[in-house]
């Protein structure tokens, strides 16, 4: 069963869905073990209430103003934003639309004034210890920090411009054939100043992620994302009923990333509900997004066949049989969503078409659907 894990990367502050097969056999010194225990105490705030999901994970109801985000040094003087300035109200109660998408089997809910946060475990932090040596990733501008690994992508890329966000629906699939130390991700990248120094590049990512080795910081281990929802939070799981079937029912993960025009924070909403936001203080070089990419990407050790991307089928098989971003739209500086026209974006891949493909140039009219993926099996020669 694939499950949803919302991940925040220390390098790029990404938010992803993923199925995880982690490893926790990394040897630790006594000093390292003590350091992890101290970090756990910092991350896991005293809860008002604790809920247990059907997966066995514990979710704590934390007072909104005491969540881990506010331990980030850049947010020392940050004023909490309850809802975007462009919304007049925010309903934080569970409704059937949300419950049918992300039903964790809780027999209770968090009270108002709290946010629901998955409790961090020591094994989450153990796995994260090795992550800095691996990579910084953002689509076709992927930088591998470990030469023993390869990456392949199949994406759509905007022309350089000034964007305030992105929205789309993404088909979600179970994809079990991802080996340990491999990653298959399907997401969007919103990039800041792509013409500047790479080390100064700020990127926001979100999507769904199949991971044989956890990448980035797990859930809220990287402090900074401010959560406002008492019903949705990092670490929730998609069940089998929330996943697409080949040639049958299609399930979608609909999301929007939108810059608040007054406060400058970058808001994330899922199925029309506010999950939270990335404060502007975290992104000194992301006043606007200069480039948007979305599609699929995989990572694999050099001597191991590359994993499937998307649902493992090539996109020319069409809707219902391959992975798609549907009704993809950019958000302009006027904060209005629009479908880019012909010539305003390009399709890119760095692998042979028998392994991975991307299809769906911007249309002259109608909605923009981009298919991507493939069976993988590529071994670096």
């Amino acid at each position: 069963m694939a499950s949803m894990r919302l991940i925040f990367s220390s390098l790029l502050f990404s938010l992803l869905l993923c199925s995880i097969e982690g490893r926790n056999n990394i040897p630790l010194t006594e000093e390292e073990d003590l350091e992890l225990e101290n970090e756990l105490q910092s991350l896991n705030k005293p809860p008002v209430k604790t809920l247990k999901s059907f997966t066995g994970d514990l979710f704590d109801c934390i007072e909104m103003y005491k969540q881990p985000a506010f331990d980030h040094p850049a947010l020392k003087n940050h004023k909490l934003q309850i809802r975007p300035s462009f919304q007049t109200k925010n309903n934080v109660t569970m409704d059937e639309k949300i419950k049918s998408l992300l039903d964790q089997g809780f027999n209770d809910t968090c009270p108002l004034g709290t946010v629901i946060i998955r409790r961090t475990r020591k094994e989450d932090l153990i796995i994260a210890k090795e992550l800095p040596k691996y990579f910084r990733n953002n689509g076709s501008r992927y930088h591998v920090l470990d030469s023993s690994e390869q990456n392949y992508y199949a994406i759509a890329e905007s022309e350089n411009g000034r964007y305030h966000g992105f929205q789309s629906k993404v088909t979600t699939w179970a994809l079990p054939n991802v080996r340990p130390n491999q990653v298959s991700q399907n997401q969007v990248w919103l990039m800041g100043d792509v013409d500047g120094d790479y080390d100064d590049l700020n990127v926001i990512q979100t999507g769904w992620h199949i991971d044989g080795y956890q990448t980035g910081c797990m859930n809220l281990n990287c402090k900074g994302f401010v959560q406002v929802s008492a019903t949705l939070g990092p670490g929730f799981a998609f069940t089998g009923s929330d996943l697409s079937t080949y040639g049958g029912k299609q399930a979608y993960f609909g999301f929007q990333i939108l810059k608040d025009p007054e406060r400058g924070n970058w808001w994330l909403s899922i199925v029309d509900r506010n999950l939270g936001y990335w404060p502007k203080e975290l992104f000194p070089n992301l006043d606007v997004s200069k480039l948007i990419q979305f599609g699929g990407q995989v990572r694999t050790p050099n001597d191991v066949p590359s994993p499937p991307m998307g649902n493992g089928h090539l996109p020319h098989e069409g809707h219902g049989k391959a992975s798609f971003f549907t009704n993809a739209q950019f958000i302009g500086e006027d904060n209005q969503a629009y479908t880019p026209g012909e010539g305003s974006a390009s399709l890119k891949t760095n692998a042979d078409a028998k392994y991975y493909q991307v299809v769906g140039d911007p249309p002259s009219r109608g909605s923009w659907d981009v298919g991507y993926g493939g069976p993988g099996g590529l071994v670096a020669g």
Side-chain angles (χ1 to χ4, degrees):
M1 176 187 297
S3 63
M4 173 182 176
R5 289 289 183 263
L6 301 185
I7 293 181
F8 298 81
S9 161
S10 59
L11 296 170
L12 304 171
F13 278 92
S14 62
L15 182 142
L16 309 168
L17 274 101
C18 66
S19 172
I20 295 170
E21 180 186 348
R23 300 186 307 181
N24 58 10
N25 58 352
I26 300 171
L28 297 174
T29 65
E30 183 176 344
E31 182 179 359
E32 289 172 329
D33 188 68
L34 179 60
E35 181 181 339
L36 291 182
E37 290 290 348
N38 290 334
E39 189 171 356
L40 282 176
Q41 291 183 23
S42 174
L43 288 168
N44 293 322
K45 304 297 183 181
V48 174
K49 181 189 293 188
T50 297
L51 310 179
K52 188 174 183 179
S53 75
F54 71 88
T55 62
D57 293 323
L58 297 179
F59 287 79
D60 292 325
C61 304
I62 306 297
E63 291 182 55
M64 186 177 294
Y65 291 89
K66 296 181 180 180
Q67 60 181 293
F70 297 113
D71 291 339
H72 194 293
L75 303 184
K76 182 178 180 180
N77 299 314
H78 179 79
K79 183 179 179 181
L80 175 67
Q81 187 176 12
I82 300 296
R83 55 181 174 267
S85 63
F86 47 83
Q87 290 184 353
T88 57
K89 62 180 181 178
N90 183 30
N91 183 1
V92 295
T93 59
M94 178 69 80
D95 68 11
E96 291 306 313
K97 186 176 183 182
I98 294 285
K99 188 173 182 180
S100 64
L101 177 68
L102 297 171
D103 186 354
Q104 301 301 296
F106 295 141
N107 58 5
D108 204 349
T109 59
C110 284
L112 292 177
T114 67
V115 293
I116 187 166
I117 295 179
R118 179 180 178 270
R119 187 177 299 179
T120 301
R121 303 164 300 179
K122 182 182 287 188
E123 50 264 41
D124 299 331
L125 301 181
I126 291 175
I127 293 170
K129 283 180 61 64
E130 286 199 337
L131 301 180
K133 77 177 186 181
Y134 278 93
F135 68 98
R136 300 179 182 185
N137 66 320
N138 48 285
S140 63
R141 296 169 185 248
Y142 191 108
H143 285 224
V144 178
L145 302 183
D146 188 333
S147 61
S148 67
E149 299 196 344
Q150 294 293 313
N151 78 93
Y152 306 101
Y153 55 83
I155 62 170
E157 180 178 279
S158 72
E159 60 182 0
N160 281 14
R162 296 178 63 84
Y163 307 101
H164 275 210
F166 177 87
Q167 64 185 31
S168 183
K169 292 196 299 183
V170 187
T171 48
T172 54
W173 301 85
L175 187 60
N177 299 320
V178 176
R179 304 181 186 186
N181 296 344
Q182 291 186 326
V183 173
S184 181
Q185 60 191 43
N186 313 266
Q187 63 186 75
V188 57
W189 297 261
L190 276 71
M191 304 181 198
D193 186 4
V194 293
D195 297 320
D197 190 313
Y198 184 81
D199 290 334
D200 295 330
L201 179 65
N202 291 161
V203 183
I204 292 176
Q205 302 174 220
T206 191
W208 64 278
H209 199 160
I210 305 292
D211 203 341
Y213 184 85
Q214 293 171 324
T215 60
C217 287
M218 184 65 181
N219 300 317
L220 295 179
N221 295 354
C222 290
K223 299 166 184 174
F225 183 84
V226 177
Q227 192 172 321
V228 300
S229 175
T231 57
L232 292 174
F236 278 67
F238 278 154
T239 65
S241 61
D242 304 315
L243 299 169
S244 302
T245 57
Y246 183 81
K249 176 186 71 75
Q250 298 297 287
Y252 296 90
F253 168 58
F255 65 93
Q256 178 192 70
I257 301 174
L258 178 61
K259 180 183 176 180
D260 188 289
E262 294 184 9
R263 297 281 295 273
N265 301 318
W266 292 82
W267 279 86
L268 174 72
S269 62
I270 300 175
V271 289
D272 301 323
R273 292 300 180 95
N274 299 323
L275 183 64
Y277 63 91
W278 293 272
K280 65 178 181 181
E281 293 91 335
L282 301 177
F283 302 109
N285 300 315
L286 193 61
D287 178 56
V288 296
S289 175
K290 300 291 185 63
L291 189 76
I292 297 177
Q293 297 176 337
F294 62 96
Q297 180 175 275
V298 300
R299 192 191 82 219
T300 185
N302 287 340
D303 58 349
V304 179
S306 63
M309 180 190 296
N311 71 339
H313 292 267
L314 295 170
H316 67 73
E317 295 184 44
H319 286 279
K321 298 182 178 180
S323 291
F324 276 83
F325 280 78
T326 65
N327 196 24
Q329 293 184 304
F330 299 155
I331 298 173
E333 291 190 278
D334 60 358
N335 271 45
Q336 297 300 308
Y338 66 95
T339 301
E342 291 179 298
S344 59
S346 57
L347 305 178
K348 296 186 176 183
T349 182
N350 65 341
D352 188 278
K354 69 180 179 180
Y355 300 110
Y356 308 112
Q357 296 177 8
V358 57
V359 301
D361 289 310
S364 59
R365 61 179 184 274
S367 65
W368 187 23
D369 297 347
V370 175
Y372 60 95
L378 178 56
V379 179

